[in-house]
Amino acid sequence: MSRLTHLDENGTANMVDVGDKADTTRIASASGCVIMQKQTLELILSGNAAKGDVTGTARLAGIMAAKKTADLIPLCHPLMLSKVAVDIEPDEALPGLRVMATVKLTGKTGVEMEALTAVSIACLTIYDMAKAADKTMIISQIMVEKKTGGKSGDWQR
């Protein structure tokens, strides 16, 4: 197992110096879900939620969140993202909504945190917009699905 890169030789947290790393195309995808009552899913999909377009608003919130990751998570580098895509699909088996985010850039550091942040905030937005109808919702299974590029190479769950 690799050592933790955000700790110096004294165990103090610090921002990793990526200045000497080569620019490469980096892509990361993450996913998560919001489990809810079947009636809540039906309400969201019908477009009749009291707060409006739940999935459209959550998609936009996820995109905005990816761009703000460095403001939210200590030691993350501010990045010039070239692409953020957030997809939200109904899953009757949950029942609920599955959220997927893919983030891309050409740069010196990966975008896993940006993909995870996009999914997390999209899920939180879904919860916020539907909580009046269903306080039992569960945000679950937020994870990195795959990443490409960089020194450590490609990885897939």
Side-chain angles (χ1 to χ4, degrees):
M1 179 175 253
S2 301
R3 67 178 186 82
L4 297 175
T5 58
H6 285 82
L7 299 178
D8 67 14
E9 60 279 351
N10 299 318
T12 304
N14 66 4
M15 182 181 254
V16 174
D17 182 356
V18 296
D20 293 332
K21 292 173 88 176
D23 284 346
T24 61
T25 299
R26 297 159 181 268
I27 303 170
S29 297
S31 66
C33 63
V34 182
I35 302 166
M36 60 191 65
Q37 296 175 27
K38 185 177 183 199
Q39 300 89 334
T40 308
L41 179 59
E42 291 168 0
L43 179 70
I44 290 169
L45 296 178
S46 72
N48 292 321
K51 289 190 175 183
D53 179 5
V54 174
T55 57
T57 303
R59 185 176 301 106
L60 183 57
I63 292 167
M64 292 171 63
K67 297 181 339 179
K68 291 289 194 180
T69 300
D71 294 333
L72 300 169
I73 300 175
L75 309 179
C76 279
H77 293 83
L79 302 176
M80 292 294 297
L81 304 178
S82 58
K83 174 80 174 156
V84 179
V86 176
D87 297 307
I88 302 170
E89 298 293 332
D91 185 338
E92 301 282 341
L94 287 172
L97 296 169
R98 292 207 178 269
V99 178
M100 292 81 46
T102 301
V103 180
K104 179 181 178 183
L105 65 59
T106 299
K108 299 176 184 299
T109 189
V111 288
E112 296 93 338
M113 295 311 302
E114 287 71 16
L116 287 165
T117 301
V119 167
S120 298
I121 296 300
C123 288
L124 286 168
T125 301
I126 291 165
Y127 185 95
D128 179 57
M129 293 188 73
K131 70 182 183 260
D134 184 357
K135 290 180 181 25
T136 68
M137 288 180 286
I138 299 169
I139 296 171
S140 183
Q141 302 172 8
I142 296 173
M143 66 189 90
V144 174
E145 295 289 347
K146 67 180 180 176
K147 70 117 196 136
T148 61
K151 187 172 111 179
S152 64
D154 298 352
W155 178 87
Q156 185 162 346
R157 180 166 300 285

